[in-house]
Amino acid sequence: MTLPDDAYTQLADMHICRVLNGLWQLSGAHGQINPAAAIPQMHDYHKAGFTTWDLADHYGPAEDFVGKFSVQLSDEQKKSHLAFTKWVPRPGAMTRRVVESAIDVSRRRMNAETLDMLQFHWWDYGDPRFLDAMAQMATLRDEGKIRHLALTNFDTPNTRRIVNSGVAVVSNQVQFSLIDRRPEVAMIPYCETSGIKLLTYGTLAGGLLTDRYLGQPEPRQLNTASLRKYKNMVDAWGGWALFQELLRVLRTVADKHGVSVANVAVRYILQKPAVAGVIVGARLGISENMAENAKVFSFALDDADMAAIHAVTDKSRDLYALIGDTGDEYRR
């Protein structure tokens, strides 16, 4: 499998795949993953052109898997391999020692002298020490331990606070889908003026925005953390009947382009301003959707497609008014 040129984009000086392999499924909330099956499949993803990984310090063994995988790559393969981890600290003093110690743990686990990109999450905006943490990370970046700094689940005002403090960030990772379009309200306009890109997750609503749920009764038992999380989002957005109406429209659009409902859902977000990439979960050693994911780059949504989709989404509730800006669901 060879992905087309437009399957890649520049994020700062990094040539990333626009469909990133997400490793949240290793966090323990989606069942056990067998390393003996997972690592070989990581090689399959890379060979297929899906060369960019999203993970975090708290996603179970994700950093360890990436570390084991990366040392098995040839020198030529390493040139295209990128792994973006996250740091999600507990509240406390953000001294040089605290910050550097955490970064060094990720570097050791990932077998990386320099982290490609570190995405930072902070739980409480009322505690301004996140600015101290960013300043320390900027120093470590300048010393070569981190290549680029980024954010995850930051809202627009506090992203602006960080940028205004003098710390450059290249991206913010946010929830963004046909169900949750809150980034369009404030985050995307700010990103367009500040040169920040978005990496998005939840774009398939944990698997709900797929053909599997088209025409299905409202589920009462969901077996993964992702499905439970995004079913709650569907409920807040407008409920199962409206969601089925959306899936029917997506199926019509998908039929027009010869692709899947999931492809349409991902393509919709990829065509949004400031979006560099969409994170799609990889169930390593259990299942894989590389061939289907590649179809995202085989078509583009036109004005008629967008109008049909918006005829449904315009009926939904305003999640920005209901929940708040990007990431506010984690701080309510």
Side-chain angles (χ1 to χ4, degrees):
M1 182 189 306
T2 302
L3 297 183
D5 290 345
D6 63 359
Y8 304 91
T9 192
Q10 289 300 122
L11 180 59
D13 62 355
M14 300 177 293
H15 193 60
I16 74 166
C17 182
R18 297 198 72 199
V19 171
L20 292 83
N21 310 311
L23 295 183
W24 185 36
Q25 283 77 5
L26 299 180
S27 65
H30 298 79
Q32 294 299 311
I33 301 291
N34 179 4
I39 304 298
Q41 196 172 81
M42 293 178 76
H43 285 278
D44 293 338
Y45 273 91
H46 189 94
K47 291 174 184 176
F50 296 97
T51 54
T52 310
W53 300 84
D54 176 78
L55 55 150
D57 60 344
H58 64 292
Y59 289 2
E63 290 187 336
D64 302 301
F65 277 24
V66 167
K68 292 175 182 177
F69 165 65
S70 63
V71 298
Q72 296 175 13
L73 294 173
S74 68
D75 289 343
E76 186 63 28
Q77 289 174 320
K78 288 177 181 178
K79 293 178 182 178
S80 57
H81 167 66
L82 292 164
F84 304 155
T85 194
K86 303 179 189 73
W87 182 37
V88 185
R90 296 178 179 178
M94 294 290 112
T95 63
R96 161 86 185 216
R97 181 177 180 180
V98 168
V99 177
E100 186 171 26
S101 175
I103 275 56
D104 285 345
V105 169
S106 291
R107 290 171 61 237
R108 285 194 298 271
R109 293 179 71 189
M110 295 172 68
N111 283 309
E113 182 177 345
T114 301
L115 299 178
D116 292 322
M117 187 166 78
L118 184 64
Q119 303 168 97
F120 177 63
H121 175 94
W122 189 256
W123 293 106
D124 180 11
Y125 297 139
D127 182 346
R129 289 178 291 187
F130 68 88
L131 295 172
D132 298 335
M134 291 302 303
Q136 296 291 355
M137 283 186 283
T139 297
L140 295 170
R141 177 199 59 201
D142 295 344
E143 293 175 359
K145 289 193 172 186
I146 306 167
R147 187 171 172 184
H148 292 290
L149 297 179
L151 305 174
T152 183
N153 290 316
F154 266 77
D155 66 7
T156 308
N158 286 289
T159 300
R160 185 181 293 110
R161 284 178 70 185
I162 289 170
V163 172
N164 288 347
S165 75
V167 176
V169 297
V170 302
S171 66
N172 186 18
Q173 185 176 140
V174 297
Q175 183 172 295
F176 194 11
S177 70
L178 280 162
I179 299 301
D180 183 4
R181 292 169 56 194
R182 289 176 296 147
E184 296 178 353
V185 179
M187 181 56 67
I188 285 179
Y190 176 70
C191 287
E192 289 192 281
T193 62
S194 62
I196 295 172
K197 297 296 184 180
L198 295 180
L199 300 177
T200 76
Y201 67 90
T203 302
L204 294 178
L208 292 174
L209 277 167
T210 64
D211 286 290
R212 177 182 178 184
Y213 287 91
L214 174 61
Q216 296 300 309
E218 184 170 4
R220 299 302 178 186
Q221 290 186 333
L222 295 166
N223 60 2
T224 72
S226 292
L227 286 171
R228 291 189 291 272
K229 172 182 179 179
Y230 294 112
K231 174 56 167 59
N232 290 336
M233 191 64 65
V234 168
D235 293 342
W237 171 81
W240 196 250
L242 185 61
F243 183 66
Q244 284 297 310
E245 185 177 345
L246 176 61
L247 287 180
R248 288 192 293 271
V249 168
L250 295 180
R251 182 64 261 165
T252 299
V253 174
D255 286 341
K256 170 182 169 180
H257 296 285
V259 296
S260 69
V261 164
N263 291 152
V264 175
V266 171
R267 186 73 211 184
Y268 180 90
I269 299 301
L270 283 176
Q271 290 184 206
K272 289 296 181 178
V275 173
V278 168
I279 299 160
V280 177
R283 299 296 304 276
L284 294 176
I286 297 176
S287 63
E288 61 86 8
N289 296 292
M290 284 177 271
E292 179 180 344
N293 290 343
K295 293 180 182 178
V296 167
F297 306 110
S298 69
F299 72 105
L301 298 174
D302 59 28
D303 291 343
D305 299 329
M306 293 293 192
I309 292 169
H310 293 159
V312 180
T313 59
D314 287 348
K315 300 177 186 179
S316 68
R317 299 188 184 100
D318 182 350
L319 292 186
Y320 188 89
L322 187 66
I323 300 173
D325 201 354
T326 57
D328 282 0
E329 63 271 27
Y330 295 101
R331 300 174 180 87
R332 298 176 69 197

